[in-house]
């Protein structure tokens, strides 16, 4: 089925059909829905090459994939990317993935935009006063930040989880359970989300007259191995924590292994709360002792960022809000219990 045949079938001009499929406001909703329904029934797909020539758009959104010999693969990145891809597929957009060394991301973004191969892109793994945001404002295509950057005015488009509130809530729950000795297994200390999570813990403890000792804090890439190492180190402290917060269920996987090897009972001898990004291969409810979590979905975030980018690219109305700050749900399970006496 081509555009001419679809035009004859519907009794509409090819221009009207194209405008209906591309969301132009001058096509009324009844006609638009009729065109969409018949296009779906007949298997019609627009000629993307012709469409791009006509609109001057690439029909693609881009992302930089940081990669280096010492750079670990990240299950969280893959889950976010799946959400991004789902929405891109739904709206007939392509993904352009450009690998780059983590220290060369700015130049890679410039190349990506200058090539004309993308209509918009997103930024992730934000750092304090991240220079990529300042650079992105100077480039001629839309962008959305996944996360935020401490130290910068929030005058850029972002979608983030309220990491500080999530870890404040988690710490407050543990305080109500009587815990006074805390540990934190966090993500890399230069990343914004890890800073905000630590701030949330510190603020909640300060409200109870407590502090988070540097000896009881670990920063690392979020893998099972580093979760195991970090937890084992915390348990060897002269005064080990009775409550631990993990920045990821992947870290928690290793932490639970260390707790078990030490002969401790999760939820009785030591309590643990993990941040859960709803990873399909690592569900907190399937741990031997189900994990209490601060819950948010990376896949949903990827989906929403793709929606926002495509909406900006198409100039659709209404335009999405500049800022979205999602609240994480605190889901209480058996890994948390009263402080041991």
């Amino acid at each position: 089925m081509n555009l001419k045949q679809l035009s004859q079938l519907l009794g509409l001009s090819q221009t009207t059909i194209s405008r209906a499929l591309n969301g132009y406001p001058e096509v009324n909703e009844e006609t638009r829905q009729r065109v969409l329904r018949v296009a779906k029934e007949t298997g019609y797909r627009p000629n993307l090459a012709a469409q791009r020539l006509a609109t001057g758009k690439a029909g693609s959104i881009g992302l930089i994939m940081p990669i280096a010999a010492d750079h670990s693969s990240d299950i969280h990145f893959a889950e976010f990317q799946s959400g991004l891809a789902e929405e891109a597929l739904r709206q007939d957009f392509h993904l352009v993935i450009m690998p780059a060394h983590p220290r060369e991301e700015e130049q890679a973004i410039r190349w990506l935009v200058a090539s004309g191969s993308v209509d918009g892109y997103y930024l992730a793994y934000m750092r304090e006063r991240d220079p990529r945001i300042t650079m992105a404002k100077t480039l001629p295509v839309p962008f959305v930040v996944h996360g935020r950057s401490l130290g910068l005015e929030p005058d850029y488009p972002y979608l983030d989880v309220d990491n500080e509130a999530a870890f404040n809530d988690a710490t407050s729950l543990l305080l109500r359970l009587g815990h006074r000795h805390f540990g934190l297994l966090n993500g890399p200390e230069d990343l914004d989300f890890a800073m905000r999570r630590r701030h949330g813990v510190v603020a909640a403890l300060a409200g109870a007259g407590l502090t988070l000792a540097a000896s009881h804090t670990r920063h690392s890439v979020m893998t099972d191995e580093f979760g195991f190492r970090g937890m084992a180190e915390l348990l060897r402290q002269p005064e080990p924590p009775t409550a631990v917060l993990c920045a990821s269920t992947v870290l928690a996987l290793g932490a639970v292994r260390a707790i078990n090897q030490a002969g401790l009972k999760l939820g009785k001898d030591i309590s643990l709360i993990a941040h859960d990004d709803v990873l399909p291969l690592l569900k907190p409810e399937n741990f031997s002792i189900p994990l209490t979590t601060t819950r948010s979905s990376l896949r949903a975030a990827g989906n929403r960022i793709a929606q926002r980018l495509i909406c900006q690219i198409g100039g659709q109305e209404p335009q999405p809000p500049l800022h979205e700050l999602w609240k994480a749900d605190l889901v209480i399970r058996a890994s948390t219990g009263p402080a041991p006496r």
Side-chain angles (χ1 to χ4, degrees):
M1 175 68 67
N2 59 35
L3 182 59
K4 182 178 179 181
Q5 292 167 327
L6 188 62
S7 170
Q8 292 169 343
L9 179 63
L10 286 163
L12 297 171
S13 72
Q14 294 181 34
T15 299
T16 298
I17 292 171
S18 293
R19 289 180 178 276
L21 292 171
N22 288 293
Y24 282 79
E26 57 265 37
V27 179
N28 69 57
E29 190 60 25
E30 183 181 348
T31 300
R32 186 191 323 281
Q33 292 303 323
R34 180 176 164 230
V35 170
L36 291 172
R37 186 185 71 253
V38 174
K40 184 176 181 180
E41 290 171 354
T42 58
Y44 171 76
R45 292 178 68 84
N47 182 321
L48 292 179
Q51 195 176 62
R52 288 164 191 164
L53 282 172
T55 62
K57 302 290 187 184
S60 301
I61 53 179
L63 59 134
I64 302 299
M65 180 178 177
I67 194 75
D70 59 347
H71 194 84
S72 300
S73 59
D74 188 349
I75 188 174
H76 308 89
F77 178 84
E79 184 65 10
F80 179 89
Q81 190 176 314
S82 294
L84 197 76
E86 281 178 0
E87 183 63 18
L89 178 64
R90 191 180 74 82
Q91 299 209 41
D92 270 335
F93 265 69
H94 294 165
L95 287 185
V96 176
I97 302 174
M98 185 172 185
H101 192 282
R103 291 194 299 271
E104 297 172 354
E105 285 187 59
E106 284 184 67
Q107 186 60 50
I109 292 166
R110 291 185 187 278
W111 286 338
L112 191 62
V113 172
S115 72
S117 58
V118 299
D119 302 310
Y121 61 96
Y122 87 92
L123 298 171
Y125 299 107
M126 288 291 104
R127 294 172 173 82
E128 188 173 10
R129 300 184 182 278
D130 201 304
R132 292 174 296 166
I133 293 177
T134 302
M135 180 208 66
K137 293 176 188 176
T138 70
L139 299 179
V141 299
F143 72 98
V144 177
V145 173
H146 181 214
R148 286 174 288 167
S149 177
L150 282 162
L152 291 183
E153 286 295 319
D155 57 352
Y156 53 88
Y158 69 72
L159 182 152
D160 197 11
V161 171
D162 194 340
N163 288 292
E164 189 165 343
F167 275 60
N168 191 296
D169 290 347
T171 305
S172 297
L173 169 65
L174 293 165
L175 286 167
R176 291 195 298 273
L177 290 168
H179 293 276
R180 292 297 179 267
H181 303 290
F182 284 75
L184 173 64
L185 299 178
N186 207 354
E189 63 182 329
D190 63 330
L191 294 185
D192 180 273
F193 77 82
M195 295 178 190
R196 292 181 192 271
R197 290 175 188 179
R198 185 179 182 281
H199 290 171
V201 175
V202 168
L205 291 179
L210 302 173
T211 58
L212 179 66
S215 60
H216 285 55
T217 304
R218 295 292 181 276
H219 291 277
S220 68
V221 294
M222 297 191 294
T223 65
D224 164 61
E225 178 185 0
F226 280 99
F228 175 80
R229 287 186 198 174
M231 190 72 244
E233 290 170 4
L234 293 185
L235 293 176
R236 288 195 293 267
Q237 294 294 320
E239 193 167 44
T242 64
V244 176
L245 297 108
C246 291
S248 166
T249 46
V250 183
L251 281 170
L253 184 64
V256 169
R257 186 156 52 93
I259 289 168
N260 290 339
Q261 283 194 13
L264 300 174
K265 182 72 172 177
L266 188 62
K268 292 189 176 180
D269 301 314
I270 187 167
S271 289
L272 184 147
I273 299 178
H275 186 70
D276 169 36
D277 285 309
V278 198
L279 303 174
L281 298 179
L282 192 61
K283 296 185 176 181
E285 61 268 31
N286 291 342
F287 279 65
S288 55
I289 304 293
L291 299 184
T292 296
T293 58
T294 54
R295 191 173 190 268
S296 68
S297 171
L298 275 170
R299 186 176 289 243
N303 198 279
R304 177 58 179 158
I305 280 182
Q307 285 179 4
R308 285 181 54 171
L309 270 176
I310 293 168
C311 185
Q312 287 176 254
I313 290 163
Q316 299 165 21
E317 295 294 342
Q319 282 287 298
L322 188 66
H323 302 147
E324 289 185 62
L325 188 61
W326 291 3
K327 180 173 173 55
D329 298 320
L330 180 60
V331 183
I332 300 174
R333 300 188 181 92
S335 70
T336 45
R341 296 184 180 277

